[in-house]
Amino acid sequence: MARRTRVLRLATAGPSDTAPLAAAIDKGEVDPATIVAIVGKTEGNGCVNDFTRGYATLALKLLLGDRRVAIVMSGGTEGGLSPHLLVFCREEAQGVANGKRLAIGTGFTRDFKPEEIGRQAQINETAAAVASAMKEAGIASAADVHFVQIKCPLLVAQRVAEADRRGAAVATRDTLKSMALSRAASALGAAVALGEIDRAALSDTDIGANWSLWSGRASASAGIELINHEIVVMGMSPSWSGPLSIDHAVMGDAIDVEPVRAALKRLGLDSAGQLPPAQRGRLVALLGKAEASHDGQLRGHRHTMLDDSDIAATRHARAFVCGALAALVGHAEIYVSGGAEHQGPDGGGPVALIVDRAAS
Amino acid sequence: MARRTRVLRLATAGPSDTAPLAAAIDKGEVDPATIVAIVGKTEGNGCVNDFTRGYATLALKLLLGDRRVAIVMSGGTEGGLSPHLLVFCREEAQGVANGKRLAIGTGFTRDFKPEEIGRQAQINETAAAVASAMKEAGIASAADVHFVQIKCPLLVAQRVAEADRRGAAVATRDTLKSMALSRAASALGAAVALGEIDRAALSDTDIGANWSLWSGRASASAGIELINHEIVVMGMSPSWSGPLSIDHAVMGDAIDVEPVRAALKRLGLDSAGQLPPAQRGRLVALLGKAEASHDGQLRGHRHTMLDDSDIAATRHARAFVCGALAALVGHAEIYVSGGAEHQGPDGGGPVALIVDRAAS
Amino acid sequence: MARRTRVLRLATAGPSDTAPLAAAIDKGEVDPATIVAIVGKTEGNGCVNDFTRGYATLALKLLLGDRRVAIVMSGGTEGGLSPHLLVFCREEAQGVANGKRLAIGTGFTRDFKPEEIGRQAQINETAAAVASAMKEAGIASAADVHFVQIKCPLLVAQRVAEADRRGAAVATRDTLKSMALSRAASALGAAVALGEIDRAALSDTDIGANWSLWSGRASASAGIELINHEIVVMGMSPSWSGPLSIDHAVMGDAIDVEPVRAALKRLGLDSAGQLPPAQRGRLVALLGKAEASHDGQLRGHRHTMLDDSDIAATRHARAFVCGALAALVGHAEIYVSGGAEHQGPDGGGPVALIVDRAAS
Amino acid sequence: MARRTRVLRLATAGPSDTAPLAAAIDKGEVDPATIVAIVGKTEGNGCVNDFTRGYATLALKLLLGDRRVAIVMSGGTEGGLSPHLLVFCREEAQGVANGKRLAIGTGFTRDFKPEEIGRQAQINETAAAVASAMKEAGIASAADVHFVQIKCPLLVAQRVAEADRRGAAVATRDTLKSMALSRAASALGAAVALGEIDRAALSDTDIGANWSLWSGRASASAGIELINHEIVVMGMSPSWSGPLSIDHAVMGDAIDVEPVRAALKRLGLDSAGQLPPAQRGRLVALLGKAEASHDGQLRGHRHTMLDDSDIAATRHARAFVCGALAALVGHAEIYVSGGAEHQGPDGGGPVALIVDRAAS
């Protein structure tokens, strides 16, 4: 039976604000049973002690009840980045479209032990869950996958202590660093599933270190609120219907917006300068990654993000990259997640664009 | 006698790094006697307890000795913003150019008492100093002024206490707020000098409150390191020579980059997307302002900058706006200063561009 | 009928951790129907964008269901301050004690409009609610009240905008400042109820300004998670039973611990130096306030808390005062709340001590 | 010839404030030629991007000229910690005292390469420089050394890149972590010199990892402003004169103040509670260390310092420990430095006390 993806982009007034989604459900605009994934930005620091992600997740679960929905909340709304939810619904369709359309699948791994964070176990489990999500989405070819959004766990002092008690060695005792390693292993797992990297070539020492290895479509966000992975795969499939399409670009560095402009053009949004108001409404969602390049340089000029002990580098990078992308698309209600280890080249990152080709 | 402006843009490795300028002097590339102003970005927080501005100023004064140079150090290199100095030199020229060229003048006010900060005394003194700097620069018409860069003081607990002891009431006891009020009064002073606002219409209650009043060319930066104003006026004059021209744009909000693109085009740098590498070298300097809009919105979407108690709103805004402008011009060694009270419309700000029309 | 207060002090592993309380309920150690108030510390920043207070409150309400419990979560666990809950239960007792015992009452005000925050409406409503809570607790004389813990609201950009739309003028547009004003008006309200300050002598201009006015027993904490006041009154009453007693001290400044030592002695915990381990178990709860003195001085030495734009002064003060108090009582699982406007003299604050006189 | 140590404690109004010292010199109160060391607290963040230490050092060098003075500026004046300088002078004395008196010596290592930071080269050079400083001070026995204050370098992105270009592997690429490793190796070096740890038993893997190894008298502070070590050794010697004595204590954790009280008593300052005003004037200087315990616990209660991505753990710890010590000695113009790796047991640290036995 044919399916179609529906995507609602809903502004939130705070981490626990589910009122816009509740209203859409109450009005019959969306059937809660069709919701398969929610990806959102919350206004915490996006680092270890960011509890807004868990707060938002709890609020959504209270609204949605027991059904299994992949929830990926990403903390950090620096600069103009506007807190919002992207609600992905899988609806029945009357028939297939003429050509490929946006398809969506979800995957879940088992829980991870503290000592597995940032190590190959995460790569393996992620790769398997991505493959499973692709299958669920009816996406046969990895080439048709345009974005893999992963929520992954991190270490806190208590989880480290628990491993210590068992005599298990964790990959790092630095909790902020554990977020980077968890994202790194997750991204490599997606890269393996998409055929971007050969699994056999990977070892623990590559994770969070060998920046020549990267996926052009993985996006990972770490959080304190879960201990497994929740994964949303987005791609194009001929068995789906509806007006939505997705494409992606890879930014080579934090201000490399021209590949994103080119992707917009491929999706029918062609603009020399900033996307004009008439086209903005057709851009349903933008999802991207931000990070401070590890060599401390941006196009030959020094940046200070890595030496700043007051503001985490991920916070700097989100604000900055969001500025670059918002200047391109004309607003800042976009999903920019921090920490792009193995997600695009060092200092850059993948960007996915979902466009409503039917909207006027 | 004809004059010409020379502008060196020098990367710094830290707040006290004067080595690049010293090297340029040692090599005979620049005659220190011609230096009239230095405008720079340092890697402090740009807020009250930012001592990097004073550190940089001290280091420059140790290098340059006793001559009076207007030094405007602006703290805050968030996101990719790269620390650098813009050294303005006034050199003798063989003759005048065919048409107007970049002209530069400096002005200095008297020291201000704590209770004058954020009040009309600052407006009056600034207006007079800007007029004086215009005269020095040989700019007859306010229409030929494209940027007025002002360094102004702020209040700290000790200065407030000193006023208390005299029974003088300061405009605010909140030291971070005093930076905003000082910038606000300074910008209104420049607006008066440029004929953008009628002096008679202004009262103390407009300062930092009536956002309908603004200058399209003023840029003010507050710092703990001085108690007077140091002012640099940049404009175009037929009595100056050399290859440099300046123009300006007013951003209507934090991502309104199209007016900047248009100004670049007027200066001969015409690009549909990001400024290509071949043109980047001709853009000698970009100076702009950033602020969080006071209504908490950016094009109808909520931003969280004003409610963030971990990171000052000015820091968010600098990172974000620098991202937008860097995506336009292709690098982030640009001068973006935070807090644009009465500097451009609420949430937006003026941007000046200095271009070398002769560079290939 | 006689009543007795029971106080459980429960460590939490995170803002949403209700497991220790749930376990106590499951084991029959506490009857949830007896819980009348919960006061706790959560690990947010304690400032405007601290959502951990709301997260904790939601988690507790999910556990406790519909019954009305006064919940006062205070954000900010700086330094060694250990996150924990104080659960106050009102149980039936067999008979009254020989002498006064810890009595507890709760009060709730109506919701406040944004323009009422930091103004006399808060004073009036607080005074009435404190009186009501005293009555509920059976405390006849204000002299027997030793602590009034108040949770009060704050302003965020949206609430300010809502007032703007109605043409109502808020007391401040600075959201962090609104927390101070809200605490200030709340504390003055408690002072009025306790007869410490004459209501007729107060005007709007005293609030958050006239530091000569203060309560020796009020403690207010502002939060984004409510728009009314929730109030817990603690005192001594002859109609209550059980082993618990309360007393209080007023610290004259941030390190004025000797009055606290004297109060401990009055409660039977007599120690020349740090409270020895044998006595620590009898100290059931310590509740105190912390703030940076407004003159920027501590005993004649400059402090830098008010000029720090990286860390809010309330965060500095909590860490510092918690250090002083923890050095006295021998551990840091104590409740120290930041921002002591009109709560004790400028720079100081009230401290309440609950001791189990029966414990060995 | 006999010598005597003089210690001036001078409050500063900012990082570059040398006016109090200049005034003391101008008035003839201190002969600048006798100054051998300056140890001070400045109001930066005490972390990587703290330029206030370098700013203060530059200002002092401008005042003192070319003579070699060991300058140890420690950033971070959290909580009530008051910025100040301790100026150590070595003056000629008429004769030796009856018994031992405060003796002081300084030592300097060679510059370190980036790859040597946090490794055994730092241990070796520090041990040698401490031995040299002891000799200079005329302290024959390690048992007479009570404090070894070390200023040591850190890594920044540029120094890491420089090592990369030479193919040299640095101990960490995390710049904040490099501060911890540098302090750790420095402290172990002092421990070796003092005979507290056997050099032969140490390897690179112990540095910053094996917390069972520690010195009871070392205090290390890392900074961006130097690339060698500057060391001040303080102890007691029979060949020195004057009224000053020094002793030390080791805090077992962040609130373990009783050993400090005992040391004060040994020095003649005997107080059951807080040091009374009459005795405070005789306490010339207090120098201590602060750190967050690595197991995330303080006496069995969880602390959140290590999981806080907004405020560095060293900043939390300084505010907290300063509160504990200030509550003991009655003021907060004390030197508390953050990061106590191998300096006292995990979570605790050494404290030195300099007392004027002659002062009334």
Side-chain angles (χ1 to χ4, degrees):
Chain A
M1 193 197 58
R3 298 179 290 183
R4 50 179 276 162
T5 304
R6 184 133 163 255
V7 181
L8 286 81
R9 191 172 88 226
L10 301 171
T12 55
S16 63
D17 181 20
T18 58
L21 178 55
I25 293 171
D26 287 348
K27 290 182 200 159
E29 290 172 5
V30 60
D31 173 2
T34 66
I35 299 173
V36 291
I38 299 178
V39 176
K41 289 296 308 179
T42 59
E43 54 208 286
N45 63 18
C47 301
V48 177
N49 62 326
D50 183 349
F51 302 100
T52 65
R53 298 171 301 222
Y55 192 13
T57 301
L58 172 61
L60 287 169
K61 287 186 174 171
L62 288 173
L63 177 70
L64 296 176
D66 279 344
R67 283 164 319 92
R68 193 176 211 188
V69 174
I71 299 181
V72 179
M73 302 309 300
S74 163
T77 57
E78 294 83 5
L81 207 161
S82 193
H84 66 286
L85 299 177
L86 297 171
V87 181
F88 294 87
C89 306
R90 200 152 57 195
E91 302 178 337
E92 292 184 19
Q94 296 302 86
V96 298
N98 184 11
K100 296 173 182 172
R101 290 295 186 278
L102 175 60
I104 190 159
T106 59
F108 303 82
T109 70
R110 62 167 171 83
D111 292 349
F112 290 99
K113 294 178 192 168
E115 64 269 28
E116 290 178 325
I117 302 301
R119 296 213 171 105
Q120 294 182 78
Q122 271 189 301
I123 296 178
N124 297 339
E125 296 297 321
T126 303
V130 170
S132 164
M134 283 174 61
K135 194 167 182 185
E136 187 195 88
I139 303 175
S141 162
D144 278 331
V145 173
H146 289 285
F147 213 60
V148 178
Q149 180 62 50
I150 304 163
K151 188 80 208 180
C152 56
L154 54 81
L155 294 178
V156 291
Q158 291 164 288
R159 300 200 75 206
V160 172
E162 188 273 324
D164 284 349
R165 282 192 295 273
R166 288 186 288 104
V170 292
T172 180
R173 306 182 79 82
D174 178 329
T175 54
L176 190 57
K177 176 84 189 262
S178 80
M179 299 181 76
L181 289 179
S182 183
R183 290 187 299 252
S186 300
L188 291 173
V192 166
L194 300 182
E196 298 175 302
I197 294 175
D198 179 13
R199 174 66 187 90
L202 291 175
S203 71
D204 276 351
T205 57
D206 289 314
I207 301 170
N210 183 351
W211 303 128
S212 69
L213 301 170
W214 51 270
S215 166
R217 291 163 279 171
S219 166
S221 168
I224 201 171
E225 67 274 16
L226 80 179
I227 50 174
N228 71 332
H229 288 189
E230 307 214 346
I231 295 171
V232 187
V233 167
M234 307 173 200
M236 294 289 278
S237 166
S239 64
W240 290 62
S241 184
L244 300 182
S245 290
I246 188 170
D247 204 338
H248 79 279
V250 176
M251 294 173 72
D253 59 33
I255 56 173
D256 186 26
V257 295
E258 293 306 316
V260 185
R261 192 191 307 276
L264 285 169
K265 187 174 179 179
R266 291 195 299 273
L267 289 163
L269 300 181
D270 188 3
S271 169
Q274 190 173 80
L275 211 61
Q279 294 190 22
R280 267 173 229 163
R282 292 173 54 199
L283 178 62
V284 175
L286 182 156
L287 301 103
K289 291 294 303 188
E291 75 173 350
S293 58
H294 289 79
D295 66 353
Q297 304 271 328
L298 174 59
R299 299 193 182 179
H301 300 292
R302 179 172 73 105
H303 67 71
T304 63
M305 296 186 264
L306 297 177
D307 289 345
D308 191 339
S309 307
D310 296 311
I311 302 179
T314 47
R315 306 203 73 181
H316 277 287
R318 271 190 299 265
F320 185 65
V321 172
C322 182
L325 289 169
L328 176 67
V329 301
H331 72 89
E333 197 175 77
I334 59 182
Y335 176 95
V336 179
S337 152
E341 300 82 2
H342 307 302
Q343 300 150 64
D346 187 19
V351 174
L353 303 148
I354 298 176
V355 166
D356 184 340
R357 287 175 162 275
S360 61
Chain B
M1 194 194 60
R3 298 180 288 183
R4 50 181 278 163
T5 304
R6 185 133 163 253
V7 181
L8 286 81
R9 192 173 87 225
L10 301 171
T12 54
S16 62
D17 181 20
T18 58
L21 179 54
I25 292 172
D26 288 348
K27 288 182 201 160
E29 290 172 6
V30 60
D31 173 1
T34 65
I35 300 173
V36 291
I38 299 178
V39 176
K41 290 295 308 179
T42 59
E43 53 207 289
N45 63 19
C47 301
V48 178
N49 61 327
D50 181 349
F51 301 99
T52 65
R53 298 172 300 221
Y55 192 13
T57 300
L58 172 60
L60 288 169
K61 287 186 173 172
L62 288 174
L63 178 69
L64 297 175
D66 279 342
R67 283 165 318 92
R68 195 176 209 189
V69 173
I71 300 182
V72 179
M73 302 309 302
S74 164
T77 56
E78 293 82 6
L81 208 161
S82 193
H84 66 288
L85 300 177
L86 297 170
V87 182
F88 293 87
C89 306
R90 200 153 57 193
E91 303 178 336
E92 292 184 21
Q94 296 303 84
V96 297
N98 184 11
K100 296 173 183 173
R101 290 296 185 279
L102 175 59
I104 190 158
T106 60
F108 302 83
T109 69
R110 64 169 171 80
D111 292 349
F112 289 99
K113 293 178 192 166
E115 64 269 26
E116 291 179 324
I117 302 300
R119 295 214 170 104
Q120 294 181 76
Q122 272 190 299
I123 296 178
N124 296 339
E125 297 296 322
T126 303
V130 169
S132 165
M134 283 174 62
K135 196 168 180 184
E136 188 194 86
I139 304 175
S141 163
D144 278 332
V145 173
H146 289 287
F147 213 59
V148 178
Q149 180 61 48
I150 304 164
K151 188 80 208 180
C152 55
L154 53 80
L155 294 177
V156 290
Q158 292 164 289
R159 299 201 76 205
V160 172
E162 189 272 324
D164 284 350
R165 283 193 294 273
R166 288 185 289 104
V170 292
T172 180
R173 307 183 77 83
D174 179 328
T175 54
L176 190 56
K177 177 82 188 265
S178 79
M179 298 181 77
L181 289 179
S182 183
R183 289 187 300 252
S186 299
L188 290 174
V192 166
L194 299 182
E196 296 175 302
I197 294 177
D198 179 13
R199 174 65 186 87
L202 291 175
S203 71
D204 276 352
T205 56
D206 290 314
I207 300 170
N210 183 351
W211 303 126
S212 70
L213 302 170
W214 50 270
S215 166
R217 290 163 278 170
S219 166
S221 169
I224 201 172
E225 66 274 17
L226 80 179
I227 52 173
N228 71 332
H229 288 187
E230 306 212 348
I231 296 172
V232 187
V233 168
M234 306 174 200
M236 294 289 278
S237 166
S239 64
W240 289 62
S241 183
L244 300 183
S245 291
I246 187 170
D247 204 338
H248 79 279
V250 176
M251 294 173 72
D253 61 29
I255 56 174
D256 186 27
V257 294
E258 294 306 317
V260 185
R261 190 190 307 275
L264 285 169
K265 186 175 180 180
R266 292 196 299 272
L267 289 164
L269 301 181
D270 189 4
S271 168
Q274 191 175 80
L275 210 61
Q279 293 190 23
R280 267 174 229 163
R282 291 174 53 198
L283 179 62
V284 174
L286 183 156
L287 300 104
K289 290 296 302 187
E291 74 173 350
S293 58
H294 289 80
D295 66 353
Q297 303 271 327
L298 173 59
R299 300 191 182 181
H301 300 293
R302 180 172 72 105
H303 67 73
T304 63
M305 295 186 263
L306 297 177
D307 290 345
D308 190 339
S309 306
D310 295 312
I311 301 180
T314 47
R315 307 202 73 181
H316 278 287
R318 269 191 299 267
F320 185 64
V321 172
C322 182
L325 289 169
L328 177 66
V329 302
H331 72 90
E333 197 175 77
I334 59 181
Y335 176 95
V336 179
S337 151
E341 300 82 0
H342 307 302
Q343 300 150 64
D346 188 18
V351 174
L353 303 148
I354 298 176
V355 166
D356 184 341
R357 287 177 162 273
S360 61
Chain C
M1 193 195 60
R3 299 178 289 183
R4 49 180 278 162
T5 305
R6 184 133 164 255
V7 181
L8 286 81
R9 191 173 87 225
L10 302 171
T12 54
S16 63
D17 180 22
T18 59
L21 179 53
I25 292 171
D26 288 350
K27 289 181 202 160
E29 290 172 5
V30 61
D31 173 1
T34 65
I35 299 173
V36 291
I38 299 177
V39 175
K41 290 295 308 179
T42 60
E43 53 207 290
N45 62 19
C47 300
V48 178
N49 61 325
D50 182 348
F51 301 99
T52 64
R53 298 172 300 222
Y55 191 14
T57 301
L58 173 60
L60 288 168
K61 288 186 173 171
L62 288 174
L63 177 69
L64 298 175
D66 279 342
R67 285 166 317 92
R68 195 176 209 189
V69 173
I71 299 181
V72 178
M73 302 308 301
S74 163
T77 57
E78 294 82 6
L81 208 161
S82 192
H84 67 286
L85 301 176
L86 297 170
V87 182
F88 293 88
C89 305
R90 201 152 57 194
E91 302 178 337
E92 293 182 21
Q94 296 302 86
V96 297
N98 183 11
K100 296 173 183 174
R101 289 296 185 277
L102 175 59
I104 191 160
T106 59
F108 302 83
T109 70
R110 64 168 170 81
D111 292 350
F112 290 99
K113 294 178 191 166
E115 63 270 26
E116 291 178 325
I117 302 300
R119 296 212 171 105
Q120 293 182 78
Q122 272 189 300
I123 295 177
N124 297 338
E125 297 297 322
T126 303
V130 169
S132 164
M134 282 174 62
K135 195 169 181 182
E136 187 194 88
I139 303 175
S141 163
D144 278 332
V145 173
H146 289 286
F147 215 59
V148 179
Q149 180 61 48
I150 304 163
K151 188 80 208 180
C152 56
L154 53 81
L155 295 178
V156 291
Q158 290 165 290
R159 299 201 76 206
V160 172
E162 189 273 324
D164 284 348
R165 283 192 295 273
R166 288 185 290 103
V170 292
T172 180
R173 308 182 77 82
D174 179 328
T175 53
L176 190 56
K177 176 85 189 264
S178 80
M179 299 181 76
L181 289 178
S182 183
R183 289 186 300 251
S186 300
L188 291 174
V192 166
L194 300 182
E196 298 175 301
I197 294 176
D198 178 13
R199 174 66 188 89
L202 292 175
S203 71
D204 277 351
T205 56
D206 289 314
I207 301 170
N210 183 351
W211 304 126
S212 68
L213 303 169
W214 49 271
S215 167
R217 291 163 279 170
S219 166
S221 168
I224 201 171
E225 66 275 16
L226 81 178
I227 51 174
N228 70 333
H229 288 189
E230 308 212 346
I231 295 171
V232 186
V233 168
M234 306 174 199
M236 293 290 279
S237 167
S239 63
W240 290 62
S241 184
L244 300 183
S245 291
I246 187 169
D247 204 337
H248 79 278
V250 176
M251 294 172 73
D253 61 31
I255 55 175
D256 187 27
V257 295
E258 294 306 316
V260 185
R261 191 190 308 273
L264 286 168
K265 187 175 180 179
R266 292 194 299 272
L267 289 163
L269 300 180
D270 189 2
S271 168
Q274 192 174 79
L275 212 61
Q279 294 190 23
R280 267 174 230 161
R282 292 175 52 200
L283 178 62
V284 175
L286 183 156
L287 301 103
K289 290 295 304 188
E291 74 174 348
S293 58
H294 289 80
D295 66 353
Q297 304 273 327
L298 174 59
R299 301 192 182 179
H301 300 293
R302 180 171 73 104
H303 68 70
T304 63
M305 296 186 264
L306 298 176
D307 290 344
D308 191 338
S309 307
D310 296 312
I311 301 179
T314 47
R315 306 202 73 182
H316 278 287
R318 269 189 300 266
F320 185 65
V321 173
C322 182
L325 290 168
L328 176 67
V329 302
H331 72 88
E333 196 175 77
I334 58 181
Y335 175 94
V336 179
S337 151
E341 300 81 3
H342 307 302
Q343 299 150 64
D346 187 18
V351 174
L353 303 148
I354 299 176
V355 166
D356 185 340
R357 286 175 162 274
S360 60
Chain D
M1 195 196 56
R3 297 179 290 184
R4 49 181 278 163
T5 304
R6 185 132 163 255
V7 180
L8 286 80
R9 191 174 86 227
L10 301 171
T12 55
S16 62
D17 182 20
T18 58
L21 180 53
I25 292 172
D26 287 348
K27 289 182 202 161
E29 290 171 7
V30 60
D31 172 2
T34 64
I35 300 173
V36 292
I38 299 177
V39 175
K41 289 295 308 179
T42 60
E43 53 207 290
N45 63 19
C47 301
V48 178
N49 60 327
D50 182 348
F51 301 99
T52 64
R53 299 172 299 221
Y55 191 13
T57 301
L58 173 60
L60 288 169
K61 288 187 173 171
L62 288 174
L63 177 69
L64 297 176
D66 279 343
R67 282 165 318 92
R68 195 176 209 189
V69 173
I71 299 182
V72 178
M73 302 309 302
S74 163
T77 57
E78 293 82 5
L81 208 162
S82 193
H84 67 287
L85 299 177
L86 297 171
V87 181
F88 294 87
C89 306
R90 200 152 56 193
E91 301 177 338
E92 292 183 20
Q94 295 304 85
V96 297
N98 184 11
K100 296 174 184 173
R101 290 295 185 278
L102 174 60
I104 190 159
T106 59
F108 301 83
T109 68
R110 64 168 171 80
D111 293 349
F112 290 99
K113 294 179 191 167
E115 63 269 28
E116 290 178 324
I117 303 300
R119 296 211 170 106
Q120 295 182 78
Q122 272 189 300
I123 296 178
N124 296 338
E125 297 296 322
T126 301
V130 169
S132 165
M134 282 174 63
K135 195 168 182 185
E136 188 194 85
I139 304 174
S141 163
D144 278 330
V145 173
H146 289 286
F147 213 60
V148 177
Q149 180 61 50
I150 304 164
K151 188 79 208 179
C152 56
L154 54 79
L155 295 177
V156 291
Q158 291 163 290
R159 299 201 75 206
V160 173
E162 189 273 324
D164 284 350
R165 282 192 296 273
R166 288 186 289 106
V170 292
T172 180
R173 307 182 76 82
D174 178 328
T175 54
L176 190 57
K177 177 83 188 264
S178 80
M179 298 181 77
L181 289 178
S182 182
R183 289 187 300 252
S186 300
L188 291 174
V192 166
L194 300 182
E196 297 175 303
I197 295 176
D198 178 13
R199 174 66 188 90
L202 292 175
S203 70
D204 277 350
T205 56
D206 290 312
I207 301 171
N210 182 352
W211 303 127
S212 70
L213 301 170
W214 50 270
S215 167
R217 291 165 277 172
S219 166
S221 168
I224 201 172
E225 66 275 15
L226 80 179
I227 52 174
N228 71 332
H229 288 188
E230 306 213 346
I231 295 171
V232 186
V233 167
M234 306 174 201
M236 294 290 278
S237 166
S239 62
W240 289 63
S241 184
L244 300 183
S245 290
I246 188 169
D247 204 337
H248 78 278
V250 176
M251 295 173 72
D253 60 31
I255 56 174
D256 185 26
V257 295
E258 294 305 316
V260 185
R261 191 191 307 276
L264 285 168
K265 186 174 180 180
R266 291 195 300 271
L267 289 164
L269 301 180
D270 188 2
S271 169
Q274 191 175 78
L275 211 60
Q279 294 190 22
R280 266 173 229 162
R282 292 173 53 198
L283 179 61
V284 175
L286 183 156
L287 301 103
K289 290 296 304 188
E291 74 173 349
S293 58
H294 289 81
D295 66 354
Q297 304 271 327
L298 173 59
R299 301 190 181 180
H301 301 292
R302 179 172 73 105
H303 67 72
T304 63
M305 297 186 264
L306 297 176
D307 290 345
D308 191 339
S309 308
D310 295 313
I311 300 179
T314 48
R315 307 203 72 182
H316 278 287
R318 270 190 299 266
F320 185 65
V321 173
C322 183
L325 289 169
L328 176 66
V329 300
H331 72 90
E333 197 176 77
I334 59 181
Y335 176 95
V336 179
S337 150
E341 300 83 1
H342 307 303
Q343 299 150 64
D346 188 17
V351 174
L353 304 148
I354 298 176
V355 166
D356 185 340
R357 287 175 162 273
S360 61

